[in-house]
Structures are given as C-alpha cells and as structure tokens.
Amino acid sequence: SDFEENLNKIDVAFGKNADSVTAWAQTASKEFGLSQVQATSAASAFGALGKGIGLSDAEAATMSTTLAGLSADLGSYFNMSVDESAKALEGIFTGESEALKRFGVVMTDTNLKQFAADQGLVWEQMSQSEKTALRYSFVLEKTKDAQGDFARTSDGTANSLKIFKASIQDLGTAIGTNLLPIITPIIQKITE
C-alpha cells in the first residue's frame, strides 16, 4: 500500500513525466540499493519540494531522480543511511546547509555567491527557483567523488546487503500489489 500511495504522489507531482520516474524506480534496487518503495518515496518528496518552488514537471522529475540516486551514493560513500542523506539534500530547496556539511558540502552564502559569480550570475538578482537550481548545481559539483559510489562498490558486502534488502522489499511489494484488490474490500467490510 505504501508503494501504491507513492505512485499516486508521483502521478500528481510529475504529470506526464510520472512514467519515467516509475521506470527509474524499477531499476533503483540494482543501481542504488533502493527498493521501489524507497525510490518512489524519495523521488516524490524531492518532487514536491521542486514543484513547490515552481519547477516544471520535467525539471522536477529529473532533479528528483538525480537527488534520490545521490542520496544512495552519499549513503554508500559516507556509510550513512539513505534517509540521512536525503534529508540533508532537502537543503537544496530550503537553503539549510548544516546537514550537508556531513557530506563535505559547505554551502554558505559566501560560497554560493562566488559559485553564482563564476557562472556570470548575481546571487542577489536571482529568483527562488534560480537559487535552488544554483544550489543543486553546487551540491552536484561538491559531491562528484561520491557520485556513482554505490555502483562502484555494489559488489562489496554492505551494498550487496542493501541490494538484497531492496530486492526482498520489492518482492513484498509485488506480492502486496496483487493482494491489494483482495484485501482492500475485506478491510472495508471489517471497518463497517
């Protein structure tokens, strides 16, 4: 049911681009050690933040899947949970930078202003969505070493276990998806 709820959020958050996010989530266990539930949950959370600042469906879909994958890579590289890294990456949207320091990203106003200037932009003249896009680029720049870490180390014990756990959760999701049409009416009758 969690997966079904996440799919509903993805449909709303990404519109015409929902299928690409769902397809990405289907490969997330092997690429990032994320079950479909984890992948769709992370993508929909990032998507809601992206849409909240005015990103298009396509922009939000791309940013969301990239950040969900980066959450797994940061978790792998720094041996932390994906939830911790995903929470820290929310700072891209909110401007909160303290949690990102754990991952070697020092996103101060001074650093962002310089990063903007290096790209020919003036921080003070940027809209909220432009600042978010700049913080996104800044974080991607500063996390280059960690990007792809899950794939590079997927044959190690820690990441093999993550893939195994994600596969088990995906199996449960597949079974549950087939049982929902049977269980839902029973739950509704019991509730009555």
Side-chain angles (χ1 to χ4, degrees):
S1 69
D2 289 343
F3 181 63
E4 186 178 70
E5 289 296 317
N6 288 339
L7 289 179
N8 291 334
K9 287 188 280 187
I10 283 175
D11 285 343
V12 172
F14 303 115
K16 296 181 291 186
N17 298 283
D19 289 343
S20 68
V21 175
T22 303
W24 170 84
Q26 291 172 348
T27 64
S29 64
K30 288 187 174 127
E31 290 182 36
F32 299 107
L34 300 173
S35 69
Q36 288 184 50
V37 171
Q38 289 173 306
T40 54
S41 178
S44 64
F46 287 127
L49 289 166
K51 294 295 291 284
I53 59 150
L55 295 179
S56 71
D57 292 348
E59 292 169 326
T62 299
M63 188 180 276
S64 297
T65 55
T66 299
L67 290 175
L70 181 57
S71 297
D73 282 337
L74 289 173
S76 172
Y77 191 77
F78 290 97
N79 198 27
M80 295 180 148
S81 76
V82 172
D83 291 338
E84 284 179 281
S85 52
K87 190 73 174 159
L89 289 173
E90 288 177 5
I92 290 169
F93 300 94
T94 64
E96 297 172 20
S97 62
E98 192 62 33
L100 286 168
K101 290 178 184 174
R102 302 164 105 188
F103 303 103
V105 179
V106 183
M107 193 173 69
T108 63
D109 284 343
T110 303
N111 289 347
L112 288 172
K113 287 176 184 177
Q114 183 60 53
F115 190 71
D118 292 346
Q119 297 181 38
L121 303 169
V122 179
W123 178 257
E124 290 79 6
Q125 297 174 353
M126 296 173 70
S127 69
Q128 180 60 32
S129 60
E130 290 170 330
K131 287 180 179 179
T132 300
L134 185 83
R135 287 190 295 261
Y136 174 70
S137 295
F138 182 83
V139 168
L140 290 180
E141 175 71 28
K142 300 301 179 187
T143 59
K144 281 185 179 176
D145 288 349
Q147 292 172 27
D149 187 73
F150 188 88
R152 282 191 303 273
T153 61
S154 63
D155 59 347
T157 304
N159 287 343
S160 292
L161 283 170
K162 287 178 185 177
I163 293 170
F164 177 71
K165 286 179 186 178
S167 297
I168 295 295
Q169 190 171 11
D170 285 347
L171 176 62
T173 298
I175 292 168
T177 300
N178 290 317
L179 291 177
L180 280 179
I182 299 166
I183 293 172
T184 303
I186 295 170
I187 293 170
Q188 291 168 341
K189 288 291 181 189
I190 292 171
T191 302
E192 290 174 12

